[in-house]
Amino acid sequence: MFEKHLMVCGATGCLASGSKDVTEVLEKELSDRGIRDKFRIVMAGCPGFCEVGPIIVVYPDEVFYCRLDPENIAEIVEQHFVNGEIVEKHLFKPPKSKEVKRFYDEIPFYSKQVFNVLRNSGRVNPESIDEYIMRGGYRALTRALDMKSEDIVEEVKTAGLRGRGGAGFPSGLKWKFTLQAPGTKKYIVCNADEGDPGAFMDRSILEGDPHAIIEGMLIAGLAIGSDEGYVYCRAEYPLAIQRLKMAIEQAEEYGLLGENILGSGYNYKLNIKEGAGAFVCGEETALLASIEGKRGVPRPRPPFPAQKGLWDYPTCINNVETFANVPLILRLGAEEYAKVGTENSKGTKVFALAGKVNNTGLVEVPMGITIKEIVYDVGGGIQKDRAFKAVQIGGPSGGCLPEDKLDLPVDYDSLTQAGAIMGSGGMIAMDEFTCMVDLARYFLSFTQNESCGKCTPCREGTKRMLEILERITEGEGKLEDLDTLRDLASSIKDSSLCGLGQTAPNPVLTTLRYFEHEYREHIEEKYCRSGICKELFEYAIDPESCNGCRACTKVCAVDAISGEKKEPHKIDVELCTKCGSCVDRCRQDAIKIIRVGSEADVQG
Amino acid sequence: MGVNGAVFYFIICGGETVERFIDPCCSECTHTQETPCSQFVDCCVNGPLCHESEECKQKRKAIMDRVALDSKFVIH
Ligand SMILES: Cc1cc2nc3c(=O)[nH]c(=O)nc-3n(C[C@H](O)[C@H](O)[C@H](O)COP(=O)(O)O)c2cc1C
Ligand SMILES: [Zn+2]
Ligand SMILES: [Zn+2]
């Protein structure tokens, strides 16, 4: 028996932040002391709190060590694993709090999270089918094997499951269409393209709990009468692909995949297709073309994939997270599953929480939670206690919501009404130092760049919009530009061939809707209040707040700041490159963003 | 598996080690890819289901005890 289980975050994110080195030292420390056998070290899935990685969670002690460095390991081994005393300084400590938090249940980041999809991430060895089975895995498949296709579809409908890949289409309905479509062969496809910048929800699920996807797809196959499926995964996810391959082999060996599954007569073959990771290849018709070996460009719908999909056969395509919900629905039953969430949005949603919040990482929250709860309770509020300005939800197809939408419940319909979308799970919190015009420019340049070029509105329209936004951020904007942007946006939305173009204007439209004053400031006053658009602001030091600590002078790469110690400093605007490092450094918040040429107002 | 684990297995299984759920607990268990048993999944956690044997039950329990993080880990 093992004395302790050491769950190390072995997901791509934590591996990058050093969890591999930590594990190597851990192995060595334990071996050197001759106690290696007493410990089980598992490279587990992501426990989500990437901000504080690398993480080791110790069981049965229930201790959450974070921000680890290889140098910390000897102490933990000696003090905790040998002498039985928890090393407090490596526990989690919320900002400005003196109290350390020992385990998940005390850490505020986890307090409002509900783990449905991430139920096994960080708790099981993702390379072990046995552990998946212990956690209730493949029980849903066993149940589904005894059910009629129609009843499985009905159960998913009753559960209220909606697609987690973007549009939120009711999954049960999609399954019903595919079941009813005539065809001698049918396919299930799992969309693991995950093209949104900064997104890693699907990667984490695949890396942390690959069997959940296999089981979800097997159940979908039973529901629509399919015997073959594809997981389309971007090639930049080698660990996800490796874990999935291993899981497929194990499932086949266990008789849970392949011919005559569990003696039922149900056959299922699961293939992996590696994609180049273009954003547009995440669009379902482009994705199917790519699996067929053609160029990954979208085609008009209808016909929808449910009627005419892969090689013209009826095809049910769902997102990774959508499939990960399915085993839970079939195991718990639709009613139990639907207890979490709102009237029209059931279950949970996984978000990659990023931006200016204190706690960034992967979070799973119940539908209906408010934006405020995500930003302030889960996210721990805005860094440095700065003011919240907006949250961007839904990535390049999504929108920006302002402070007065903080109480908005996160569900499909509320978000759409407010101009954003649930999307696949990107959520970026922004503070007063984010320029909303520049943000719109950033997202539009992403979609513009990723446009496949097949249809004119998307190819040319987004280019024109981008030119205008660039002009505005450079101080060359005109007031008429705002109407032009709105007109272009609506025609691109209406006439683009696929969802890429149809949603590309969203970041522009929502920032125009909620932050028109910032656009106007850029145009009329040539002023960027956030200090982002370089032509449209200057820095100046407020003599009242500056205590002359000289910290800023040391970080300024061009020596633009002068002044005696303990005397207010001054910035030479001619030399200043507006890199912003002095702002980050100043503890007094004495460095202000001012209008170009208005220096005299501040510096007297 | 560590030394302790091996000793443990020896005691409860009379020498035969069962490392994984797919390994048959005894000759009664016939589940393989080619000769599948419909009750296999449930049997891993709650079995054996097709025969009575405390020893076979303990073999399953040993697989679970080795990796269960806490009392809520195994879902029966
Ligand atoms: C430009 C574009 C990119 C997309 N990228 C993805 C993606 O990366 N992953 C995904 O699941 N869906 C993506 N979608 C949505 C898919 O077309 C499709 O709606 C989805 O896979 C359906 O699964 P769901 O109903 O489970 O959400 C994208 C759509 C568009 C228009
Ligand atoms: Zn700006
Ligand atoms: Zn037996």
Side-chain angles (χ1 to χ4, degrees):
Chain A
M1 266 318 165
F2 296 107
E3 218 168 78
K4 292 188 202 307
H5 307 274
L6 311 177
M7 312 304 280
V8 187
C9 176
T12 297
C14 271
L15 287 173
S17 73
S19 73
K20 194 151 180 258
D21 296 341
V22 163
T23 312
E24 275 165 18
V25 177
L26 185 61
E27 295 261 6
K28 187 168 179 306
E29 278 293 329
L30 294 172
S31 302
D32 287 354
R33 289 162 191 269
I35 52 175
R36 176 68 187 83
D37 287 350
K38 296 182 180 172
F39 296 82
R40 186 171 73 108
I41 301 174
V42 181
M43 294 305 273
C46 181
F49 205 175
C50 309
E51 176 82 21
V52 300
I55 295 165
I56 298 179
V57 187
V58 185
Y59 293 90
D61 311 31
E62 305 199 326
V63 173
F64 184 99
Y65 286 123
C66 59
R67 298 189 204 276
L68 294 173
D69 212 85
E71 280 115 70
N72 307 142
I73 299 304
E75 185 182 13
I76 291 176
V77 170
E78 169 76 26
Q79 188 178 320
H80 183 171
F81 301 163
V82 177
N83 295 326
E85 214 177 289
I86 293 170
V87 188
E88 290 214 346
K89 68 177 176 212
H90 296 306
L91 297 178
F92 177 71
K93 202 158 76 183
K96 288 191 291 184
S97 160
K98 291 211 173 68
E99 224 177 293
V100 290
K101 307 288 178 189
R102 173 177 166 149
F103 194 53
Y104 289 111
D105 55 356
E106 293 180 2
I107 299 173
F109 176 74
Y110 290 106
S111 66
K112 295 212 164 156
Q113 297 200 49
V114 171
F115 293 121
N116 272 2
V117 166
L118 302 176
R119 60 194 176 272
N120 291 331
S121 269
R123 304 217 348 121
V124 303
N125 174 0
E127 299 185 351
S128 162
I129 189 171
D130 283 348
E131 290 187 44
Y132 182 70
I133 290 173
M134 285 174 218
R135 299 285 297 150
Y138 292 111
R139 222 77 64 82
L141 171 69
T142 309
R143 184 174 163 230
L145 284 168
D146 278 334
M147 291 167 73
K148 287 210 292 273
S149 290
E150 290 78 5
D151 296 337
I152 302 173
V153 169
E154 203 49 44
E155 185 110 18
V156 172
K157 265 171 79 180
T158 310
L161 181 65
R162 295 173 67 171
R164 304 294 198 245
F169 191 82
S171 310
L173 203 57
K174 190 186 279 185
W175 291 18
K176 187 175 156 194
F177 293 149
T178 326
L179 169 66
Q180 288 170 344
T184 49
K185 171 127 186 143
K186 291 180 186 180
Y187 287 100
I188 300 287
V189 172
C190 174
N191 189 340
D193 188 61
E194 194 158 62
D196 286 13
F200 60 105
M201 300 74 62
D202 296 346
R203 186 187 73 199
S204 288
I205 297 169
L206 284 165
E207 287 178 354
D209 204 15
H211 285 285
I213 305 306
I214 298 176
E215 192 180 7
M217 291 180 76
L218 280 164
I219 294 166
L222 280 168
I224 68 150
S226 158
D227 64 357
E228 189 166 2
Y230 281 86
V231 177
Y232 185 91
C233 187
R234 54 173 46 221
E236 290 100 321
Y237 285 0
L239 184 61
I241 291 170
Q242 181 198 324
R243 294 243 165 100
L244 190 61
K245 276 188 181 152
M246 194 180 274
I248 289 174
E249 276 169 28
Q250 291 171 348
E252 282 171 351
E253 185 195 2
Y254 273 51
L256 296 163
L257 194 59
E259 307 261 295
N260 191 20
I261 293 168
L262 296 178
S264 64
Y266 175 46
N267 305 328
Y268 199 83
K269 182 166 185 286
L270 190 53
N271 311 285
I272 300 175
K273 168 80 185 172
E274 293 183 32
F279 179 61
V280 76
C281 281
E283 194 280 335
E284 54 188 28
T285 61
L287 186 150
L288 297 177
S290 178
I291 295 179
E292 291 172 357
K294 300 180 195 143
R295 212 179 130 221
V297 288
R299 60 153 176 85
R301 299 173 309 173
F304 288 92
Q307 271 85 45
K308 232 173 168 197
L310 209 48
W311 292 291
D312 286 345
Y313 293 109
T315 300
C316 169
I317 172 165
N318 280 122
N319 166 262
V320 171
E321 190 181 334
T322 313
F323 281 122
N325 275 282
V326 170
L328 209 62
I329 294 171
L330 269 285
R331 181 162 62 79
L332 300 177
E335 255 170 58
E336 186 63 28
Y337 174 86
K339 282 183 182 162
V340 175
T342 66
E343 179 72 26
N344 291 316
S345 303
K346 298 295 185 197
T348 58
K349 180 74 194 86
V350 180
F351 287 100
L353 182 60
K356 302 289 181 63
V357 280
N358 283 309
N359 307 330
T360 58
L362 197 71
V363 306
E364 183 172 4
V365 288
M367 299 273 194
I369 190 172
T370 64
I371 296 175
K372 193 189 221 159
E373 288 174 291
I374 299 183
V375 170
Y376 286 93
D377 298 335
V378 178
I382 302 293
Q383 290 167 12
K384 300 187 182 173
D385 281 334
R386 285 178 175 156
F388 168 91
K389 185 189 268 186
V391 61
Q392 210 282 349
I393 306 181
S397 315
C400 266
L401 303 177
E403 199 186 353
D404 67 14
K405 290 280 183 287
L406 272 174
D407 287 319
L408 195 77
V410 173
D411 64 63
Y412 290 98
D413 312 302
S414 306
L415 288 175
T416 307
Q417 242 168 37
I421 59 164
M422 180 75 77
S424 61
M427 188 176 287
I428 309 169
M430 289 165 293
D431 65 6
E432 55 205 295
F433 292 104
T434 313
C435 167
M436 304 315 281
V437 186
D438 182 67
L439 184 87
R441 186 202 55 77
Y442 164 77
F443 278 113
L444 200 71
S445 74
F446 176 84
T447 33
Q448 209 288 310
N449 201 25
E450 296 286 337
S451 166
C452 74
K454 187 169 170 179
C455 70
T456 321
C458 174
R459 185 186 64 232
E460 297 302 325
T462 55
K463 212 181 276 171
R464 290 232 24 228
M465 285 182 77
L466 184 59
E467 281 162 11
I468 296 175
L469 289 170
E470 278 169 352
R471 267 210 331 266
I472 298 177
T473 57
E474 286 159 8
E476 307 290 327
K478 299 186 287 276
L479 266 187
E480 309 88 88
D481 285 341
L482 301 186
D483 285 334
T484 316
L485 279 176
R486 288 195 175 95
D487 291 345
L488 279 167
S490 91
S491 75
I492 295 170
K493 271 176 94 88
D494 292 344
S495 55
S496 287
L497 176 65
C498 86
L500 193 151
Q502 288 156 14
T503 59
N506 284 353
V508 183
L509 285 174
T510 48
T511 45
L512 269 173
R513 175 165 160 192
Y514 297 116
F515 298 94
E516 186 175 331
H517 54 280
E518 285 200 22
Y519 280 83
R520 286 179 171 272
E521 248 168 17
H522 281 68
I523 295 169
E524 295 180 315
E525 302 174 38
K526 309 284 177 220
Y527 178 43
C528 175
R529 63 166 74 193
S530 318
I532 295 294
C533 303
K534 293 216 169 175
E535 262 96 338
L536 305 183
F537 76 96
E538 280 171 0
Y539 285 125
I541 295 175
D542 175 9
E544 304 284 306
S545 327
C546 177
N547 64 359
C549 73
R550 300 199 59 84
C552 57
T553 61
K554 290 180 192 127
V555 293
C556 182
V558 293
D559 282 334
I561 307 179
S562 58
E564 297 299 314
K565 205 169 177 187
K566 296 195 176 163
E567 296 286 324
H569 298 350
K570 210 165 164 18
I571 297 181
D572 182 339
V573 293
E574 299 297 321
L575 292 178
C576 175
T577 57
K578 301 174 189 171
C579 70
S581 35
C582 54
V583 180
D584 292 334
R585 195 55 192 266
C586 180
R587 294 226 185 103
Q588 314 302 318
D589 253 340
I591 299 167
K592 305 294 179 200
I593 293 158
I594 58 164
R595 286 172 166 74
V596 177
S598 67
E599 188 191 358
D601 301 347
V602 177
Q603 298 195 340
Chain B
M1 190 203 319
V3 178
N4 294 351
V7 171
F8 182 73
Y9 275 113
F10 185 78
I11 294 165
I12 59 162
C13 306
E16 279 172 67
T17 58
V18 177
E19 298 247 352
R20 302 184 310 153
F21 284 142
I22 192 70
D23 300 333
C25 53
C26 67
S27 61
E28 297 283 324
C29 176
T30 56
H31 175 82
T32 65
Q33 207 178 342
E34 289 75 31
T35 57
C37 168
S38 66
Q39 303 195 82
F40 171 68
V41 177
D42 194 13
C43 188
C44 293
V45 177
N46 298 316
L49 302 176
C50 65
H51 58 284
E52 292 266 346
S53 162
E54 188 51 33
E55 196 177 301
C56 293
K57 197 176 164 145
Q58 288 305 321
K59 286 178 184 178
R60 287 169 173 78
K61 188 169 177 297
I63 296 175
M64 295 185 271
D65 285 348
R66 203 154 62 93
V67 297
L69 301 177
D70 50 42
S71 60
K72 286 172 289 183
F73 187 84
V74 178
I75 297 171
H76 286 278

